[in-house]
Amino acid sequence: DVKVTQSSRYLVKRTGEKVFLECVQDMDHENMFWYRQDPGLGLRLIYFSYDVKMKEKGDIPEGYSVSREKKERFSLILESASTNQTSMYLCASNLQGYYGYTFGSGTRLTVV
Amino acid sequence: QQQVKQSPQSLIVQKGGISIINCAYENTAFDYFPWYQQFPGKGPALLIAIRPDVSEKKEGRFTISFNKSAKQFSLHIMDSQPGDSATYFCAAVDSSYKLIFGSGTRLLVRP
């Protein structure tokens, strides 16, 4: 069964900490995406990547960065966590040229 | 600005009833319109999708109706079941294959 795996289901971090959210896919997909999900706002795109070492800003990149050193792994980095970054973070991947996305189960991050 | 607008925010339906969720979009360059279903603790999963050259698509109890001229599309769930209780997201895909979501509808189907 093909999968997108996010390393943590729940995470609690302190304001100002550097936070790493990890995502791994086993489908050899070229494209990977990070979304955050908030009630009433749906899923909003933070960053995406079409290839190794490539990254593009989404709709809400402020306060975030990403890293993609290997095809299967896409990391989201919060350089200095703030309380307004408390949210559910979802990673997704898809095959180039295809519309279907596969999502991970999400990481619920709380910044205190 | 919200490129895909979804309503209602929440919906309660009796078992056996019809659930209807509506979406509207602005960007005429969108060329694929999927619906995602999300259960608590899970990521969204593709439920059904339609291209703009088709007015309706049906898969089992789920039907998408698409009105290109009005830039609207809707999800109909026939014979709604308690197991359909979930959050539903409409979405649109642009030419760079980015997925843009609506704000979501929380559906509760009462037994």
Side-chain angles (χ1 to χ4, degrees):
Chain A
D1 195 17
V2 293
K3 280 197 297 190
V4 174
T5 303
Q6 295 183 231
S7 55
S8 304
R9 288 298 303 275
Y10 300 95
L11 216 49
V12 180
K13 296 292 182 181
R14 293 190 182 279
T15 301
E17 275 193 79
K18 190 169 186 176
V19 182
F20 293 84
L21 302 183
E22 306 289 344
C23 175
V24 176
Q25 51 96 2
D26 64 359
M27 297 165 284
D28 203 33
H29 285 173
E30 293 90 353
N31 304 332
M32 296 188 75
F33 307 82
W34 275 106
Y35 287 85
R36 65 175 281 176
Q37 181 177 4
D38 300 288
L41 296 177
L43 282 75
R44 294 178 292 166
L45 182 63
I46 305 172
Y47 266 97
F48 59 102
S49 169
Y50 288 138
D51 201 350
V52 176
K53 297 193 185 294
M54 291 182 67
K55 59 184 179 184
E56 298 281 345
K57 292 180 180 179
D59 298 320
I60 52 165
E62 296 79 18
Y64 304 95
S65 63
V66 290
S67 172
R68 193 166 181 201
E69 297 295 320
K70 293 185 178 181
K71 189 176 185 179
E72 67 272 18
R73 187 179 297 270
F74 192 34
S75 302
L76 180 69
I77 304 158
L78 286 67
E79 297 291 342
S80 178
S82 64
T83 55
N84 63 12
Q85 293 178 309
T86 292
S87 186
M88 170 71 83
Y89 290 87
L90 288 159
C91 176
S93 71
N94 83 328
L95 200 58
Q96 186 67 27
Y98 289 83
Y99 291 111
Y101 279 46
T102 302
F103 280 86
S105 294
T107 295
R108 185 166 293 282
L109 172 67
T110 302
V111 182
V112 298
Chain B
Q1 73 283 11
Q2 197 171 12
Q3 296 192 55
V4 180
K5 295 184 179 180
Q6 182 172 348
S7 62
Q9 191 170 355
S10 62
L11 183 61
I12 300 174
V13 174
Q14 288 295 126
K15 179 182 175 182
I18 302 173
S19 304
I20 302 174
I21 304 170
N22 300 299
C23 286
Y25 64 97
E26 292 295 325
N27 188 349
T28 55
F30 290 147
D31 57 5
Y32 184 75
F33 298 87
W35 284 87
Y36 280 78
Q37 180 188 54
Q38 184 181 30
F39 293 106
K42 300 289 186 182
L46 180 64
L47 182 64
I48 187 173
I50 197 169
R51 291 185 183 273
D53 54 348
V54 176
S55 60
E56 185 175 282
K57 183 172 182 181
K58 184 176 180 179
E59 289 184 3
R61 296 183 293 108
F62 299 90
T63 300
I64 301 177
S65 298
F66 191 87
N67 186 330
K68 189 174 182 178
S69 60
K71 292 189 284 186
Q72 295 175 348
F73 59 111
S74 59
L75 176 70
H76 290 63
I77 306 174
M78 311 300 288
D79 187 27
S80 299
Q81 299 296 312
D84 297 331
S85 296
T87 300
Y88 292 81
F89 293 96
C90 62
V93 179
D94 67 13
S95 56
S96 62
Y97 296 97
K98 282 192 299 181
L99 198 56
I100 298 161
F101 285 88
S103 55
T105 296
R106 183 172 288 187
L107 172 66
L108 175 64
V109 181
R110 289 211 165 116

